[in-house]
Amino acid sequence: MGQILVGTCSWTDRALVGSGWYPPGRRDAEGRLRHYAERFGVVEVDASYYALPGERNSRLWAERTPDGFVFDVKAFSLLTGHPTRAAVMPDGLPADHRDPAVLDQVWARFAAGIEPLREAGKLGSVLFQFPSWFRPGQRAEAFLRECAERTEGWPVAVEFRHPSWWEPGQDETTGALLTRHGMAAVAVDMTQTLPSSVPPVTPVTSPRLSVVRFHGRSSAWGTGSKEDRFRHVYDEDELAEWLPRVRRLAERTEQVHVLFNNCCGDAAVRAAETMTRLLDGDQPVAARLPRARSAPSAPPTPGPRPTPARSSSSSSSRRAAG
């Protein structure tokens, strides 16, 4: 049985900080992370999607968390073909994902920013969350191939936002594609009432890792404000639906990350606490607690630091994101 780690998609979300979940005396940056890491074994860094991560912050995060705690780092928006604000680009670079030279520099900055987590054995995965217009096809396959080249040696997870990736007839091809690149498929929980709803399938495409992200079940997904899209309080019955699925994933992978993205107030941490309690009745407590890095199910020892792919291969990114 693989290790199951439960957490949330941010520990610094403004709504969470303002909810009162963090106790007095632990509301500064260091106190919040230490308080969080005492309760959960994994967290997703979503700030890295909006701005490139910095080495100093990554080093502090590694120092402030116990052995066995891991960070899933969301890929910077430019690296997944999303619109990116010019204000967050380094050194005045244009926010142009079609420029090979820009991509090379951004990839290098991103790699340097997460390197302290890799060195500490605390990089759980790099999450590539692709936009809803990223659909199956040759251009998308070329894009994924380049991502695999640039992230060689990293634990990588992929979430598709277009449902066609996991529809019958395409699902086996998608699974084979991710398996070929050593990328973990991300399963999602979300409302199933919309044309854009991604089905709650749980493919295993990497022996090292599986990821499940709970987005809430709001019908405003894709149309409302951030609060509208993620406003959902999971009840025990909704979470219990996932217990057998998570258990089956753990039977086939070294580690399962269960992450809650319903970040409105303290809804995500409360759901994570409930899921942890439900899992405790399903398996030994030790299966979901952080372990020392030497444990067999700990994240793999970091490999050599990836070298950004040559500019000539960036043409696939240029095509896919269009």
mmCIF file of all heavy atoms in Angstrom, residues 2 23 31 42 60 84 86 93 124 225 228 235 257 260 262-263 278 311:
data_model
loop_
_atom_site.group_PDB
_atom_site.id
_atom_site.type_symbol
_atom_site.label_atom_id
_atom_site.label_comp_id
_atom_site.label_asym_id
_atom_site.label_seq_id
_atom_site.Cartn_x
_atom_site.Cartn_y
_atom_site.Cartn_z
ATOM 1 N N GLY A 2 0.639 2.128 -0.963
ATOM 2 C CA GLY A 2 1.410 3.359 -1.026
ATOM 3 C C GLY A 2 0.981 4.353 0.052
ATOM 4 O O GLY A 2 -0.052 4.201 0.705
ATOM 5 N N PRO A 23 -4.089 29.838 14.476
ATOM 6 C CA PRO A 23 -4.286 30.366 15.835
ATOM 7 C C PRO A 23 -3.418 31.593 16.099
ATOM 8 O O PRO A 23 -2.428 31.835 15.395
ATOM 9 C CB PRO A 23 -3.855 29.198 16.724
ATOM 10 C CG PRO A 23 -2.839 28.461 15.903
ATOM 11 C CD PRO A 23 -3.312 28.579 14.476
ATOM 12 N N GLY A 31 5.047 30.870 11.013
ATOM 13 C CA GLY A 31 4.095 30.209 11.894
ATOM 14 C C GLY A 31 2.991 29.501 11.123
ATOM 15 O O GLY A 31 2.586 28.391 11.489
ATOM 16 N N VAL A 42 1.210 17.284 2.763
ATOM 17 C CA VAL A 42 1.480 17.830 1.439
ATOM 18 C C VAL A 42 0.729 19.141 1.298
ATOM 19 O O VAL A 42 -0.332 19.344 1.914
ATOM 20 C CB VAL A 42 1.040 16.835 0.331
ATOM 21 C CG1 VAL A 42 -0.459 16.555 0.406
ATOM 22 C CG2 VAL A 42 1.414 17.326 -1.069
ATOM 23 N N LEU A 60 13.427 28.366 2.473
ATOM 24 C CA LEU A 60 12.747 28.569 3.752
ATOM 25 C C LEU A 60 11.636 27.542 3.955
ATOM 26 O O LEU A 60 11.455 27.018 5.064
ATOM 27 C CB LEU A 60 12.172 29.982 3.822
ATOM 28 C CG LEU A 60 13.175 31.121 3.977
ATOM 29 C CD1 LEU A 60 12.474 32.470 3.870
ATOM 30 C CD2 LEU A 60 13.912 31.017 5.308
ATOM 31 N N THR A 84 -0.194 35.399 -19.525
ATOM 32 C CA THR A 84 0.698 35.770 -18.428
ATOM 33 C C THR A 84 0.896 37.278 -18.420
ATOM 34 O O THR A 84 1.121 37.883 -19.471
ATOM 35 C CB THR A 84 2.067 35.073 -18.580
ATOM 36 O OG1 THR A 84 1.869 33.658 -18.611
ATOM 37 C CG2 THR A 84 2.993 35.424 -17.421
ATOM 38 N N ALA A 86 2.631 40.784 -18.101
ATOM 39 C CA ALA A 86 3.991 41.262 -18.348
ATOM 40 C C ALA A 86 4.688 41.657 -17.046
ATOM 41 O O ALA A 86 5.903 41.522 -16.916
ATOM 42 C CB ALA A 86 3.964 42.448 -19.315
ATOM 43 N N LEU A 93 11.371 40.618 -19.729
ATOM 44 C CA LEU A 93 11.090 39.766 -20.881
ATOM 45 C C LEU A 93 9.628 39.906 -21.297
ATOM 46 O O LEU A 93 8.752 40.081 -20.452
ATOM 47 C CB LEU A 93 11.370 38.303 -20.536
ATOM 48 C CG LEU A 93 12.821 37.880 -20.353
ATOM 49 C CD1 LEU A 93 12.885 36.461 -19.805
ATOM 50 C CD2 LEU A 93 13.565 37.973 -21.686
ATOM 51 N N GLY A 124 7.260 17.261 -4.149
ATOM 52 C CA GLY A 124 6.339 16.164 -4.374
ATOM 53 C C GLY A 124 6.029 15.978 -5.836
ATOM 54 O O GLY A 124 6.021 14.862 -6.358
ATOM 55 N N SER A 225 -17.048 34.230 -10.521
ATOM 56 C CA SER A 225 -15.826 34.745 -9.906
ATOM 57 C C SER A 225 -15.070 33.582 -9.268
ATOM 58 O O SER A 225 -15.577 32.450 -9.186
ATOM 59 C CB SER A 225 -16.171 35.765 -8.823
ATOM 60 O OG SER A 225 -16.867 35.129 -7.757
ATOM 61 N N ASP A 228 -17.091 32.186 -6.566
ATOM 62 C CA ASP A 228 -18.222 31.402 -7.061
ATOM 63 C C ASP A 228 -17.770 30.037 -7.570
ATOM 64 O O ASP A 228 -18.422 29.022 -7.325
ATOM 65 C CB ASP A 228 -18.934 32.146 -8.191
ATOM 66 C CG ASP A 228 -19.652 33.397 -7.710
ATOM 67 O OD1 ASP A 228 -20.011 33.440 -6.521
ATOM 68 O OD2 ASP A 228 -19.832 34.330 -8.518
ATOM 69 N N ASP A 235 -19.405 17.479 2.083
ATOM 70 C CA ASP A 235 -19.921 16.726 3.226
ATOM 71 C C ASP A 235 -19.260 15.342 3.239
ATOM 72 O O ASP A 235 -18.563 14.943 2.295
ATOM 73 C CB ASP A 235 -21.447 16.633 3.206
ATOM 74 C CG ASP A 235 -22.002 15.924 1.982
ATOM 75 O OD1 ASP A 235 -21.381 14.947 1.508
ATOM 76 O OD2 ASP A 235 -23.071 16.343 1.481
ATOM 77 N N HIS A 257 -1.392 11.887 -3.593
ATOM 78 C CA HIS A 257 -1.622 13.220 -3.042
ATOM 79 C C HIS A 257 -3.097 13.569 -3.240
ATOM 80 O O HIS A 257 -3.583 13.594 -4.373
ATOM 81 C CB HIS A 257 -0.749 14.268 -3.733
ATOM 82 C CG HIS A 257 0.712 14.057 -3.508
ATOM 83 N ND1 HIS A 257 1.674 14.872 -4.070
ATOM 84 C CD2 HIS A 257 1.393 13.136 -2.765
ATOM 85 C CE1 HIS A 257 2.877 14.453 -3.696
ATOM 86 N NE2 HIS A 257 2.718 13.402 -2.913
ATOM 87 N N PHE A 260 -7.203 19.609 -1.793
ATOM 88 C CA PHE A 260 -8.489 20.304 -1.859
ATOM 89 C C PHE A 260 -8.279 21.730 -2.349
ATOM 90 O O PHE A 260 -7.502 22.499 -1.779
ATOM 91 C CB PHE A 260 -9.163 20.280 -0.493
ATOM 92 C CG PHE A 260 -9.706 18.917 -0.155
ATOM 93 C CD1 PHE A 260 -8.912 17.979 0.487
ATOM 94 C CD2 PHE A 260 -10.989 18.554 -0.538
ATOM 95 C CE1 PHE A 260 -9.384 16.713 0.768
ATOM 96 C CE2 PHE A 260 -11.477 17.287 -0.268
ATOM 97 C CZ PHE A 260 -10.673 16.359 0.389
ATOM 98 N N ASN A 262 -11.049 23.805 -3.002
ATOM 99 C CA ASN A 262 -12.250 24.614 -2.712
ATOM 100 C C ASN A 262 -11.879 25.692 -1.700
ATOM 101 O O ASN A 262 -12.334 25.716 -0.557
ATOM 102 C CB ASN A 262 -13.394 23.730 -2.200
ATOM 103 C CG ASN A 262 -13.011 22.879 -1.007
ATOM 104 O OD1 ASN A 262 -11.890 22.379 -0.926
ATOM 105 N ND2 ASN A 262 -13.941 22.682 -0.086
ATOM 106 N N CYS A 263 -11.027 26.605 -2.164
ATOM 107 C CA CYS A 263 -10.380 27.582 -1.276
ATOM 108 C C CYS A 263 -11.272 28.798 -1.028
ATOM 109 O O CYS A 263 -11.012 29.901 -1.523
ATOM 110 C CB CYS A 263 -9.047 28.014 -1.861
ATOM 111 S SG CYS A 263 -7.857 26.663 -2.009
ATOM 112 N N LEU A 278 -11.510 10.233 7.726
ATOM 113 C CA LEU A 278 -12.145 9.111 7.052
ATOM 114 C C LEU A 278 -11.110 8.070 6.621
ATOM 115 O O LEU A 278 -11.335 6.864 6.741
ATOM 116 C CB LEU A 278 -12.924 9.597 5.833
ATOM 117 C CG LEU A 278 -14.154 10.464 6.129
ATOM 118 C CD1 LEU A 278 -14.741 11.000 4.831
ATOM 119 C CD2 LEU A 278 -15.203 9.672 6.901
ATOM 120 N N SER A 311 16.465 25.869 -27.842
ATOM 121 C CA SER A 311 15.444 26.750 -28.389
ATOM 122 C C SER A 311 14.757 26.133 -29.593
ATOM 123 O O SER A 311 13.586 26.362 -29.836
ATOM 124 C CB SER A 311 16.067 28.095 -28.795
ATOM 125 O OG SER A 311 16.583 28.756 -27.678
#
